[in-house]
């Protein structure tokens, strides 16, 4: 369906990738991976024709209808939700509007009648009579109810707009789907629906995602952008990861054997080259030595931050008591008499579509928001550190550089210590003197994680800590939270992280209530699925 030949791209003299030869065929799903800045989204834009490559070519079979997930949330503010989705097949939308204009005329000419017949025929061929029902099915699958289908896009919040744009990309049975981070801002139910949709999709899917579970579920191939190259591998993300680690280890082992052999030969040559009786052997070994090379491992663009939490002291018997907490925000009751107790060893995941309720409760627990009703009581030995969903107040208009910013949270103020700590969080060299107000989203998240690690808290409150992170950083956060010996309260869209970290689930329902499940995440999902099918 798509053939990529000798593709290369340069930005300001820097080569993102070069000499890429790939083929994308019907019925397969390709996950594009690589470190932040490797060129994943850029490669997708080249495939879609939005930007041009420096060298090489991209050819697409004729009569292929491509659908691309739009990134501008405000692009369709002048349209209704339903019209925005149907515009996923722009030709169908235009025919529908032209038909409406013709039939709205008080008197139709003969030419109008002929044109109307032509439009009706094409409209039917494109599935126009089922368009609204198909669009509605997709919208509902992504969690947008029928009551919102005729709402103006301008009246929706950003999270819902993202869902509508995703519905637009999926609408109309395209041959080729290009999706850049389609699971961003999707709740678990919507992600599960999208996985099922893509598994049944007959065309070709090319997707950029930082969600490991999502990639494992849907991908038949992995396209890895690293070492300045683009390579394709058969299998899902876990298969690629295990294979890549094995290959790296094999190369390292071979290099080690070669180094040992080189050392042995060099010692022999140095000992016997002056000895006439051994000179022939020394010469032979010198020729062998010339053939031996230590293969240099290519410098990967992937970097893994060091994420580890160390509580200053163990928490006592009493940790946290939440009793009958209620909260109304902008006229909506997001928390309704919520009660639960945190016990030793609890690592609790907040799930469900009521994310406003989750964030409100985090703010109440952190003392940033007062409940309308109810109480929150922390145990005397409990100390918490809070990772907010919106970290803007920590960085906006802040002139501090990274070292200065981190110093305010560190018991050790020395620059050597702070620079070493920042180095482990992937801030190296002069980067540590960069003003924090200009940091990227992922860099800010790493700063907030650094702040938490320096706190020594024995209860961690994390509201969407993986937003803006690449796969490597998400894996590091996953490992850190999985291994820490303290209580964790966590809201996160990363399925694999929630499943491996949480041993208890709090489901935030749309009516503001919370249901407590003392089980791991996959068990909760099975239970929720069984309840839906009853």
């Amino acid at each position: 369906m798509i053939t990529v030949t000798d593709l290369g791209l340069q930005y300001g003299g820097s080569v993102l990738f070069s000499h890429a030869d790939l083929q994308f065929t019907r019925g397969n799903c390709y996950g594009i991976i690589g470190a932040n800045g490797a060129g994943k989204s850029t490669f997708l834009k080249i495939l879609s024709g939005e930007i041009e490559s420096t060298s090489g070519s991209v050819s697409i079979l004729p009569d292929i209808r491509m659908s691309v997930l739009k990134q501008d949330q405000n692009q369709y503010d002048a349209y209704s939700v339903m019209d925005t989705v149907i515009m996923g097949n722009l030709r169908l939308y235009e025919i529908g509007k032209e038909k409406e204009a013709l039939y709205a005329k008080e008197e139709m000419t003969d030419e109008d009648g002929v044109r109307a017949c032509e439009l009706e025929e094409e409209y039917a061929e494109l599935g126009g009579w089922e368009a609204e029902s198909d669009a509605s099915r997709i919208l509902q699958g992504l969690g947008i109810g029928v009551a919102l289908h005729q709402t103006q896009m301008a009246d929706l919040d950003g999270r819902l707009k993202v869902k509508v744009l995703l519905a637009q990309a999926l609408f109309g049975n395209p041959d080729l789907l290009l999706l850049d981070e389609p699971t961003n801002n999707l709740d678990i139910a919507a992600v599960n629906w999208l996985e099922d949709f893509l598994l049944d999709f007959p065309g070709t899917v090319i997707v950029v995602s930082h969600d490991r579970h999502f990639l494992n579920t849907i991908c038949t191939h992995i396209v890895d952008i690293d070492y300045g190259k683009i390579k394709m591998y058969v299998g899902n993300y876990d298969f690629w990861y295990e294979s890549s680690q094995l290959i790296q280890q094999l190369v390292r082992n071979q290099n080690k054997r070669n180094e040992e052999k080189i050392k042995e030969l060099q010692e022999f040559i140095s000992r016997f080259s002056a000895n006439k009786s051994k000179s022939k052997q020394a010469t032979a070994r010198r020729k062998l030595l010339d053939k031996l090379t230590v293969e240099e491992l290519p410098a990967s663009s992937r970097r893994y931050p060091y994420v580890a939490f160390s509580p200053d002291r163990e928490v006592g018997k009493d940790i946290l008591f939440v009793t009958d907490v209620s909260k109304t925000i902008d006229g909506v009751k997001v928390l309704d008499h919520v009660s639960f107790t945190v016990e030793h060893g609890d690592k609790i995941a907040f799930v469900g579509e009521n994310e406003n309720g989750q964030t409100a409760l985090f703010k109440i627990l952190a003392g940033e928001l007062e409940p309308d009703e109810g109480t929150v009581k922390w145990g005397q030995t409990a100390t918490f550190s809070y990772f907010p969903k919106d970290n803007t107040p920590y960085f906006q208009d802040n002139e501090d550089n990274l070292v200065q910013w981190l110093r305010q949270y560190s018991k050790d103020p020395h620059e050597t210590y702070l620079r070493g700590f920042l180095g482990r969080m992937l801030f190296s060299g002069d980067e540590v003197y960069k003003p924090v107000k200009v940091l990227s989203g992922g860099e800010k998240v790493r700063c907030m994680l650094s702040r938490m690690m320096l706190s020594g808290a024995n209860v961690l409150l994390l509201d969407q800590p993986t937003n803006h992170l690449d796969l490597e950083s998400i894996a590091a956060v996953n490992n850190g939270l999985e291994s820490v010996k303290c209580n964790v309260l966590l809201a996160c869209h990363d399925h694999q992280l929630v499943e491996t970290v949480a041993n208890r689930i709090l489901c935030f329902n749309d009516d503001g209530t919370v249901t407590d499940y003392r089980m791991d995440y996959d068990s909760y999902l099975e239970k929720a699925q069984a309840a839906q099918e009853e």
Side-chain angles (χ1 to χ4, degrees):
M1 189 172 286
I2 300 184
T3 301
V4 173
T5 306
D6 198 32
L7 196 72
L9 185 70
Q10 291 186 7
Y11 268 140
S14 176
V15 178
L16 273 182
F17 44 79
S18 61
H19 303 298
D21 294 296
L22 306 162
Q23 190 139 19
F24 300 90
T25 57
R26 180 180 294 277
N28 289 326
C29 179
Y30 302 86
I32 302 176
I33 63 171
N36 282 348
K40 302 184 295 296
S41 296
T42 303
F43 178 60
L44 214 59
K45 289 177 181 178
I46 292 173
L47 295 182
S48 71
E50 183 178 341
I51 64 175
E52 291 187 2
S53 61
T54 308
S55 59
S57 63
V58 174
S59 59
I60 301 177
L61 291 176
D63 300 323
I64 291 297
R65 192 169 81 78
M66 179 192 300
S67 188
V68 181
L69 175 58
K70 305 290 196 306
Q71 300 297 318
D72 183 356
Q73 295 182 12
N74 302 318
Q75 183 177 349
Y76 298 92
D77 278 358
Y79 301 92
S80 71
V81 168
M82 181 59 69
D83 280 353
T84 299
V85 175
I86 293 176
M87 287 171 78
N89 187 336
L90 191 57
R91 178 58 185 159
L92 174 63
Y93 175 80
E94 290 171 344
I95 291 172
K97 291 303 176 185
E98 188 177 348
K99 275 176 51 187
E100 288 179 15
L102 284 174
Y103 293 140
K105 288 185 174 182
E106 291 186 5
E107 292 187 13
M108 290 180 63
T109 64
D110 290 343
E111 290 80 3
D112 289 338
V114 171
R115 180 59 179 160
C117 289
E118 293 172 348
L119 291 173
E120 290 288 4
E121 184 177 354
E122 189 175 356
Y123 189 72
E125 288 176 356
L126 293 173
W129 299 112
E130 298 82 33
E132 288 204 4
S133 61
D134 288 346
S136 178
R137 174 178 57 83
I138 295 172
L139 286 166
Q140 291 181 71
L142 292 171
I144 299 178
V146 176
L148 292 175
H149 291 184
Q150 299 305 325
T151 303
Q152 288 296 110
M153 286 288 286
D155 296 331
L156 299 184
D157 63 30
R159 193 166 65 91
L160 290 177
K161 283 183 177 180
V162 168
K163 288 186 173 185
V164 175
L165 292 179
L166 178 56
Q168 180 193 73
L170 302 179
F171 173 77
N173 301 314
D175 303 293
L176 174 62
L177 266 175
L178 302 184
L179 304 174
D180 193 354
E181 296 291 355
T183 61
N184 277 3
N185 296 303
L186 294 190
D187 52 75
I188 295 299
V191 172
N192 289 340
W193 181 89
L194 178 60
E195 288 173 352
D196 290 339
F197 182 95
L198 295 178
L199 286 171
D200 293 335
F201 183 72
T204 302
V205 180
I206 305 176
V207 57
V208 172
S209 178
H210 289 150
D211 187 325
R212 295 164 295 168
H213 183 271
F214 181 70
L215 292 174
N216 279 330
T217 301
I218 67 167
C219 287
T220 59
H221 297 72
I222 292 295
V223 177
D224 181 31
I225 304 180
D226 200 4
Y227 314 122
K229 303 291 183 183
I230 305 179
K231 293 185 178 180
M232 184 182 294
Y233 302 86
V234 176
N236 63 10
Y237 176 76
D238 276 353
F239 187 84
W240 165 84
Y241 180 79
E242 295 296 336
S243 301
S244 67
Q245 294 300 301
L246 178 60
I247 291 169
Q248 291 280 308
Q249 187 59 52
L250 289 173
V251 173
R252 280 192 289 268
N253 291 343
Q254 182 61 47
N255 285 347
K256 186 178 180 181
R257 286 193 293 269
N258 283 357
E259 285 173 347
E260 291 172 352
K261 188 67 175 174
I262 287 171
K263 185 178 179 182
E264 178 186 325
L265 291 170
Q266 286 174 335
E267 288 176 352
F268 182 90
I269 291 166
S270 112
R271 280 186 7 239
F272 295 109
S273 58
N275 187 326
K276 290 185 179 180
S277 65
K278 299 284 187 178
S279 61
K280 288 186 179 179
Q281 289 176 290
T283 301
R285 279 166 173 71
R286 188 177 288 108
K287 289 179 180 178
L288 179 59
L289 180 60
D290 290 340
K291 294 178 182 178
L292 268 179
T293 59
V294 177
E295 183 179 344
E296 183 180 344
L297 286 171
S300 174
S301 57
R302 286 182 171 82
R303 297 192 298 165
Y304 292 81
Y306 175 78
V307 179
F309 304 94
S310 301
D312 288 341
R313 62 174 178 175
E314 187 176 351
V315 72
K317 181 179 179 182
D318 295 336
I319 301 171
L320 174 62
F321 302 89
V322 177
T323 308
D324 285 329
V325 166
S326 296
K327 185 66 182 179
T328 298
I329 298 176
D330 296 332
V332 178
K333 198 165 194 177
V334 296
L335 297 172
D336 187 8
H337 296 284
V338 173
S339 298
F340 64 93
T341 300
V342 176
E343 301 169 1
H344 260 284
D346 277 345
K347 292 185 177 181
I348 304 172
F350 291 2
V351 305
E353 294 187 17
N354 181 12
E355 292 191 12
N356 290 332
Q358 296 171 24
T359 295
L361 184 57
F362 273 123
K363 288 183 175 180
I364 290 169
L365 297 180
E368 292 187 359
L369 199 63
E370 289 293 325
D372 298 334
E373 302 175 68
T375 60
V376 169
K377 182 181 178 183
W378 285 97
Q380 288 187 344
T381 60
T383 58
F384 68 82
S385 184
Y386 173 44
F387 182 104
K389 180 187 287 189
D390 180 11
N391 58 40
T392 303
Y394 291 85
F395 302 98
Q396 194 172 41
D397 301 323
N398 193 324
E399 299 296 334
D400 286 349
N401 62 39
L402 273 163
V403 173
Q404 294 166 332
W405 185 90
L406 194 62
R407 181 176 284 125
Q408 63 188 314
Y409 305 111
S410 175
K411 295 172 185 175
D412 187 337
H414 295 95
E415 184 165 331
T416 302
Y417 171 77
L418 295 170
R419 290 195 62 168
F421 194 97
L422 287 166
R424 290 187 296 173
M425 293 303 287
L426 308 185
F427 297 105
S428 58
D430 290 340
E431 282 184 320
V432 300
Y433 299 119
K434 186 162 54 174
V436 295
K437 66 180 182 180
V438 302
L439 297 178
S440 69
E443 289 172 331
K444 289 176 181 176
V445 169
R446 283 187 268 129
C447 282
M448 295 300 290
L449 290 169
S450 299
R451 170 180 168 271
M452 292 189 80
M453 287 188 278
L454 290 169
S455 72
N458 52 30
V459 180
L460 304 178
L461 309 176
L462 301 107
D463 191 2
Q464 303 299 340
T466 61
N467 286 357
H468 306 293
L469 293 184
D470 57 19
L471 282 163
E472 291 71 39
S473 296
I474 291 172
V477 173
N478 196 152
N479 293 337
L481 293 177
E482 191 176 355
S483 60
V484 67
K485 303 298 182 185
C486 73
N487 291 100
V488 177
L489 281 71
L490 164 77
C492 180
H493 291 143
D494 189 281
H495 183 122
Q496 189 167 330
L497 189 150
V498 175
E499 168 56 25
T500 54
V501 170
N503 54 23
R504 183 177 169 189
I505 306 296
L506 289 183
C507 179
F508 285 66
N509 306 308
D510 286 337
D511 61 2
T513 61
V514 169
T515 309
D516 194 350
Y517 297 88
R518 294 178 179 271
M519 58 184 68
D520 65 27
Y521 185 52
D522 281 350
S523 299
Y524 156 75
L525 289 177
E526 290 177 10
K527 189 178 183 71
Q529 181 66 35
Q532 283 183 349
E533 293 173 353
E534 287 180 358

